[in-house]
Amino acid sequence: MPIPSRAALIDHLVRTRIAGDIATPRDNNLAHYRELANGNRHYWLGLELGDRWSDEQDVLAVMAERCGVNDDPGHRVGQDTIDPELTVAALERMAQRLRKAAEGRERVLLATGHPGGLLDVHRATADALRAAGCEIVRTPGGVVADEAMVFQFGDVAVLERGATLWHTHSPAPMAAVLDALERAGRPLPHLVVADHGWAGCAGQRGLDAVGYADSNDPALFIGEAEGTVQVTVPLDDHVTDPRFYEPMTAYLLDAAGLL
């Protein structure tokens, strides 16, 4: 995969709707912001937000600043956006943390709650980090969460139920993995690269966590604003073809010095 320039990547993100005019509608975004503000923990993605974000407009303001959604509270339905410049800037911040991991040959755990979209992004990142000398953390066997099993595919932890990889926002799988590592007397990761509740739980546990989030998943952006999550990359996390993420992944790994 050729390494795109910054301008070429931005064009690609907009053309494939990873950013720019995205498929997630405005009313869905606002509904999720409201649920987070109302204290619905499903939308907290493993973070502990207390009563600090009980105003839906505060959540919208963070999402406008860090994701690039429309900042007009009167815009209730129709199209919403992710700013591709913010996407690339966050990729560059993530690349700096990956570079640090490679230089220190750190232990890294990768996980996804969106295997249909982001599994290959995480898998390629795991391959590059291992080649640079990092230890890719193996999850203990027999880990169960949310009535499903935690397995690794291509070094990426996922939730599996009924021979199917599950889309999940839950923090329970990451909590179960970290608890199992501690019970086994194994060291915790220095870095977690993930999304959804996998990333939120890791950050809440005090681990360095970087991840990806869609415009309707505000918690990780709030986590970054509060310093619990180190980097949150805004993107549509399930576009029509997962291969559309390949140029983005190549840009990330090249910026991290891993290609």
Side-chain angles (χ1 to χ4, degrees):
M1 169 64 64
I3 311 302
S5 67
R6 197 177 198 278
L9 178 59
I10 287 173
D11 178 72
H12 172 80
L13 295 173
V14 172
R15 189 160 28 84
T16 57
R17 301 186 74 183
I18 294 172
D21 290 338
I22 52 171
T24 310
R26 176 67 168 192
D27 57 328
N28 182 262
N29 283 341
L30 294 180
H32 286 209
Y33 305 168
R34 187 177 312 112
E35 291 288 348
L36 181 146
N38 288 340
N40 186 335
R41 284 179 172 268
H42 174 77
Y43 296 88
W44 287 14
L45 302 182
L47 295 168
E48 291 298 329
L49 303 179
D51 59 1
R52 299 185 299 280
W53 298 93
S54 58
D55 187 335
E56 179 186 342
Q57 299 310 313
D58 291 341
V59 180
L60 175 60
V62 168
M63 294 303 292
E65 176 188 12
R66 294 180 177 268
C67 184
V69 302
N70 191 314
D71 64 356
D72 179 7
H75 177 47
R76 310 299 298 179
V77 296
Q79 183 70 54
D80 214 338
T81 57
I82 291 174
D83 185 342
E85 292 279 357
L86 294 177
T87 303
V88 176
L91 288 169
E92 292 166 349
R93 295 196 304 276
M94 182 184 283
Q96 290 302 308
R97 185 60 186 88
L98 296 180
R99 183 184 291 272
K100 178 183 175 183
E103 290 173 348
R105 298 194 171 189
E106 293 180 346
R107 294 183 301 277
V108 184
L109 175 61
L110 299 100
T112 185
H114 232 303
L118 298 178
L119 181 60
D120 276 352
V121 176
H122 291 299
R123 178 196 55 76
T125 304
D127 288 346
L129 288 169
R130 172 177 281 113
C134 290
E135 174 190 346
I136 304 303
V137 175
R138 289 175 60 86
T139 59
V143 174
V144 178
D146 295 332
E147 301 181 341
M149 298 292 296
V150 175
F151 292 132
Q152 278 177 302
F153 288 86
D155 292 317
V156 183
V158 295
L159 198 64
E160 189 268 354
R161 184 188 302 165
T164 301
L165 303 187
W166 275 72
H167 171 216
T168 178
H169 289 72
S170 172
M174 178 59 79
V177 168
L178 297 178
D179 290 345
L181 288 171
E182 290 184 322
R183 285 195 301 271
R186 292 171 52 190
L188 295 179
H190 296 105
L191 174 66
V192 171
V193 183
D195 48 68
H196 284 182
W198 295 92
C201 176
Q204 189 63 46
R205 291 279 189 107
L207 301 175
D208 283 5
V210 299
Y212 303 92
D214 209 329
S215 61
N216 62 357
D217 290 326
L220 293 189
F221 296 99
I222 288 174
E224 184 181 19
E226 293 193 330
T228 311
V229 176
Q230 291 200 337
V231 180
T232 301
V233 177
L235 48 67
D236 186 317
D237 54 18
H238 199 140
V239 292
T240 55
D241 187 340
R243 287 175 291 189
F244 289 162
Y245 298 108
E246 290 176 357
M248 180 195 80
T249 307
Y251 185 92
L252 169 70
L253 298 180
D254 180 65
L258 295 174
L259 293 184

